[in-house]
Amino acid sequence: MVRTSSAGRPTLEEVAVRAGVSRATVSRVVNGGAGVRGEVRERVRRAVADLGYVPNSAARSLVTRRTGAVAVVIAEPESRVFADPFFGRQLRGISRELSAADLQLLLLLQETRADCDRVGRYLSAGHADGVLMFSLHRDDPLPAMAEASGLPTVYGGRPGWAGAGHAPRPLYVDTDNRDGARQAVRHLRDRGRRRIAVITGPLDQTSAQDRLDGYHDALAPDPPDPRLIADGGFTARGGERAMAELLAAAPDLDGVFVCSDLMASGALRTLRAHGRRVPEDVGVVGYDDLDPAAWTDPPLTTVRQDVEEMGRLMARLLLRRLAPAPRAAGDGPAPVVTPARLVVRESG
């Protein structure tokens, strides 16, 4: 019989005795090292399971030079992150992929400039093995901080910050926002809408700019009418306000492309308050196809992007960057752009 330590927690030495191998061999198996025969490796794993041995994380980090954690940085205040289902869906995809790889998710949010400095110090202090970073703005200092930390980093969204075009190319996951917007606006035009407005997100984010560009593409060769463009800030309240601005500036509008479902829910409330019927008077198309899109009244025609899968893809790309196996030149992961697809419901 093998006794456990006085604290009741099995030790590395006790696993070695149970498996009939040296302490060094157990350490190599537990820490994922090479040079152990398959039969011996399996014997050690059985001993670990039999004894209920749990590696000491601090000691393991000294051996592997890994923390077992990934920092997920969202460049938004918590008031927006916890109110917008987009972030919850993307975090779910990330969390599931990291959990399957036995990695912890460390969530870091940016409320103020002081938070940004704190995030930079945290990354540089070596508390994480890699970084997943999204919802960035054009003047965000966070990408430079991630680069300065030396940590492998994957971004959510097409890079648009200063210096993003320099080599090496940033690794990112995005959806084809421009094409999704074209699909939305062409759908409204195909249904006879002629005065089509757009409610954008903040144009210092590439997703919002790409969707505005797609809106212009679909209306070409007609020149853009500035009275038909309003910024809703990617929030429900912003969608309400932007829709009111558009109705005041262009009361004859008969269609609106709203660049997120959350803003679209606010726009629908404003249209109802102004006595405009949807879709009889105004056709509405959103973007995202998150759960609330099917709950609006009427149900929202929208552009679907698989937000959870995008989170999974971000995590998978980072895991490939963290993998110890050497790769041939040019064999590393590449940016991923997923397709967007129109989902037709009643509002459009």
Side-chain angles (χ1 to χ4, degrees):
M1 176 180 176
V2 178
R3 294 184 178 180
T4 61
S5 64
S6 59
R9 180 174 177 174
T11 65
L12 204 67
E13 290 78 6
E14 290 160 354
V15 174
V17 171
R18 172 67 68 94
V21 298
S22 69
R23 184 186 187 282
T25 297
V26 174
S27 179
R28 284 198 296 273
V29 173
V30 168
N31 293 311
V36 181
R37 298 196 314 273
E39 180 270 331
V40 175
R41 187 179 297 275
E42 184 57 34
R43 205 160 71 231
V44 171
R45 287 173 176 165
R46 284 199 303 269
V48 167
D50 290 345
L51 292 174
Y53 172 74
V54 178
N56 180 289
S57 59
R60 187 173 183 176
S61 294
L62 289 173
V63 174
T64 63
R65 299 183 183 273
R66 292 287 179 87
T67 66
V70 167
V72 178
V73 182
I74 306 178
E76 299 289 351
E78 64 179 34
S79 57
R80 184 175 169 214
V81 170
F82 295 119
D84 190 336
F86 174 92
F87 296 107
R89 185 72 67 87
Q90 192 152 21
L91 284 170
R92 183 164 66 182
I94 291 170
S95 177
R96 288 180 173 177
E97 205 68 25
L98 294 182
S99 294
D102 198 25
L103 291 171
Q104 298 298 316
L105 184 159
L106 303 173
L107 180 60
L108 305 173
L109 305 180
Q110 179 185 331
E111 187 91 29
T112 65
R113 176 62 195 227
D115 290 327
C116 187
D117 295 339
R118 173 180 53 82
V119 169
R121 291 194 302 272
Y122 189 89
L123 298 180
S124 296
H127 296 300
D129 299 325
V131 186
L132 298 171
M133 190 175 288
F134 56 96
S135 202
L136 294 164
H137 299 257
R138 186 178 297 122
D139 61 350
D140 238 311
L142 287 171
M145 291 179 174
E147 184 177 349
S149 75
L151 293 172
T153 303
V154 177
Y155 299 96
R158 180 177 66 82
W161 56 88
H166 300 165
R169 179 176 57 170
L171 191 58
Y172 68 91
V173 174
D174 203 355
T175 192
D176 193 339
N177 289 293
R178 190 162 183 160
D179 182 62
R182 285 194 293 258
Q183 293 180 49
V185 178
R186 287 170 180 166
H187 173 79
L188 289 168
R189 296 197 80 172
D190 289 346
R191 275 145 184 79
R193 313 294 177 171
R194 291 296 173 262
R195 290 282 285 166
I196 301 172
V198 60
I199 298 177
T200 76
L203 294 179
D204 65 345
Q205 292 186 292
T206 55
S207 59
Q209 184 62 60
D210 289 348
R211 291 171 199 179
L212 179 60
D213 290 343
Y215 165 82
H216 288 151
D217 293 344
L219 293 181
D222 296 339
D225 183 344
R227 294 174 299 172
L228 295 175
I229 302 172
D231 181 358
F234 280 147
T235 69
R237 190 176 297 277
E240 283 185 294
R241 183 191 66 253
M243 192 71 249
E245 292 173 3
L246 290 169
L247 289 173
D252 58 338
L253 67 82
D254 60 0
V256 58
F257 166 48
V258 191
C259 292
S260 80
D261 292 347
L262 198 60
M263 291 193 299
S265 67
L268 289 170
R269 285 196 293 270
T270 295
L271 288 168
R272 187 178 302 112
H274 283 72
R276 302 296 182 94
R277 299 170 301 164
V278 177
E280 292 86 353
D281 301 326
V282 180
V284 179
V285 178
Y287 203 109
D288 286 331
D289 196 29
L290 300 174
D291 292 339
W295 304 340
T296 59
D297 182 20
L300 187 65
T301 293
T302 188
V303 178
R304 175 175 173 76
Q305 59 173 341
D306 194 336
V307 178
E308 184 171 339
E309 179 63 14
M310 288 166 66
R312 286 183 178 274
L313 289 169
M314 287 178 65
R316 288 172 190 165
L317 288 181
L318 184 63
L319 291 173
R320 287 187 62 189
R321 290 283 306 275
L322 294 175
R327 298 188 182 90
D331 192 35
V336 176
V337 178
T338 64
R341 178 175 61 86
L342 186 72
V343 178
V344 179
R345 298 192 181 95
E346 295 174 27
S347 73

